[in-house]
Amino acid sequence: MLTNVEHIGIAVRDIATSNELFTRLLNVAPYKSETVESENVTTSFFRVNQTKIELLEATSPDSPIAKFLEKKGEGIHHLAFEVDDIHAEMERLKKEGFILLNETPKRGADNKLVCFLHPKGTNGVLVELCQEIKE
Ligand code: CO
């Protein structure tokens, strides 16, 4: 089951500059900064009440973020929904005909298991499913 929008991902060219910008915009400093080696991205997270914003910067030219910036420029990159059971939700969406970008959940930023849906099937919106890893 999808529960709520967990965060909104924004692709940026320079995360240091954008950290400053979003700190001024949201009036709060990022609570976390993290590099996800498997995705070649550096992320930082801001939280305003229930709402989280994830900034993403490419760490290499073959990063999905580098490709996105090249094609579309800076801006909203993905919409992330929290789910209570990522395996069940992936199964359900697959049956509904959505294209999953990974067949098994992978470890994303901010201690989450994640799966992305192809934007081709979702009106151009890259959708992320995420579930908190509880250990
Ligand atoms: Co995300």
Side-chain angles (χ1 to χ4, degrees), residues 7 54 78 128:
H7 62 271
E54 174 185 29
H78 65 271
E128 173 186 345

Side-chain angles (χ1 to χ4, degrees), residues 32-118:
K32 183 187 270 193
S33 175
E34 194 179 341
T35 296
V36 184
E37 305 284 355
S38 59
E39 297 289 312
N40 296 313
V41 295
T42 295
T43 64
S44 60
F45 284 87
F46 293 80
R47 179 164 34 211
V48 180
N49 292 324
Q50 301 296 316
T51 304
K52 286 190 204 165
I53 302 287
E54 174 185 29
L55 302 183
L56 303 119
E57 176 196 63
T59 55
S60 91
D62 56 352
S63 161
I65 294 301
K67 287 173 191 154
F68 179 89
L69 288 170
E70 205 175 288
K71 256 169 78 179
K72 302 196 172 171
E74 291 182 303
I76 294 182
H77 176 258
H78 65 271
L79 189 57
F81 290 99
E82 182 153 59
V83 295
D84 56 0
D85 180 345
I86 196 164
H87 292 94
E89 212 45 46
M90 286 168 69
E91 198 57 44
R92 183 186 75 79
L93 291 165
K94 210 167 150 181
K95 277 192 194 138
E96 290 285 353
F98 292 96
I99 309 154
L100 307 182
L101 290 181
N102 43 300
E103 282 299 308
T104 51
K106 53 183 180 180
R107 219 187 165 103
D110 204 27
N111 195 40
K112 299 274 196 294
L113 280 177
V114 302
C115 176
F116 287 91
L117 306 186
H118 200 294

